[in-house]
């Protein structure tokens, strides 16, 4: 007794066997294909919009920071507490750094870090 159904395999333009999803799409009427394409494009646009809104809300976050003569580890931990950002660093590299002073109001994390790096570079070049 055999339980196998030997269905004919549809072939593509180059003679390759077509997957079931492709065969299903070929059997649908044109208006349903157009509808499915519209649904897929709409879902893609909604997904892209969600990512853009998330990126802008994380980037647009402004914070005020007043940090005097502290270590870089503590500066990073203060920023981590106030924002969703996480810093990864090697503690051994940060042990030999000088104390840091940062005072900024309504600045983004990028502006805070850029200001800190500019001051650090100018201090290195002055020595």
């Amino acid at each position: 007794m055999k339980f196998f159904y030997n269905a004919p395999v549809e072939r593509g333009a180059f003679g390759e066997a077509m997957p079931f999803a492709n065969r299903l799409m070929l059997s649908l009427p044109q208006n349903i294909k157009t509808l499915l394409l519209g649904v897929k494009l709409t879902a893609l646009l909604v997904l892209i919009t969600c990512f853009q809104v998330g990126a802008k809300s994380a980037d647009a976050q402004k914070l005020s920071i007043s940090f005097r003569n502290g270590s870089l580890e503590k500066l990073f931990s203060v920023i981590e507490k106030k924002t969703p950002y996480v810093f990864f660093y090697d503690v051994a590299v940060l042990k030999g750094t000088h104390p840091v002073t940062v005072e900024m109001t309504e600045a983004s994390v990028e502006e805070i870090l850029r200001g800190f790096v500019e001051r650090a570079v100018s201090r290195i070049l002055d020595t």
Side-chain angles (χ1 to χ4, degrees), residues 12 15 18 25 33 36 38 53 69 77 106 116 118-119 124:
M18 293 175 53
M25 286 298 289
K33 289 180 189 177
L36 286 175
V53 168
N69 294 328
S77 69
E106 296 301 315
F116 159 72
E118 288 172 357
R119 281 189 294 265
I124 291 170

Side-chain angles (χ1 to χ4, degrees), residues 9-80:
V9 176
E10 293 187 32
R11 302 279 176 189
F14 299 106
E16 75 281 359
M18 293 175 53
F20 177 73
N22 288 357
R23 286 183 287 172
L24 181 65
M25 286 298 289
L26 287 175
S27 65
L28 293 175
Q30 185 61 37
N31 59 352
I32 293 178
K33 289 180 189 177
T34 306
L35 177 67
L36 286 175
L37 180 64
V39 169
K40 289 178 184 178
L41 288 175
T42 303
L44 180 66
L45 288 175
V46 167
L47 187 64
I48 289 172
T49 303
C50 289
F51 284 136
Q52 288 297 323
V53 168
K56 286 183 180 179
S57 66
D59 189 42
Q61 184 174 6
K62 302 284 185 180
L63 64 132
S64 298
I65 195 164
S66 178
F67 190 78
R68 292 183 170 271
N69 294 328
S71 68
L72 281 176
E73 283 183 78
K74 290 186 180 182
L75 174 66
F76 292 154
S77 69
V78 167
I79 294 174
E80 285 176 346

Side-chain angles (χ1 to χ4, degrees), residues 56-122:
K56 286 183 180 179
S57 66
D59 189 42
Q61 184 174 6
K62 302 284 185 180
L63 64 132
S64 298
I65 195 164
S66 178
F67 190 78
R68 292 183 170 271
N69 294 328
S71 68
L72 281 176
E73 283 183 78
K74 290 186 180 182
L75 174 66
F76 292 154
S77 69
V78 167
I79 294 174
E80 285 176 346
K81 287 177 185 173
K82 293 184 175 187
T83 65
Y85 291 103
V86 177
F87 293 94
F88 294 96
Y89 50 85
D90 187 4
V91 178
V93 173
L94 295 183
K95 283 197 186 235
T97 59
H98 297 286
V100 178
T101 299
V102 177
E103 290 189 36
M104 292 191 168
T105 57
E106 296 301 315
S108 68
V109 174
E110 180 184 356
E111 291 169 343
I112 292 171
L113 293 176
R114 183 170 288 148
F116 159 72
V117 169
E118 288 172 357
R119 281 189 294 265
V121 168
S122 67

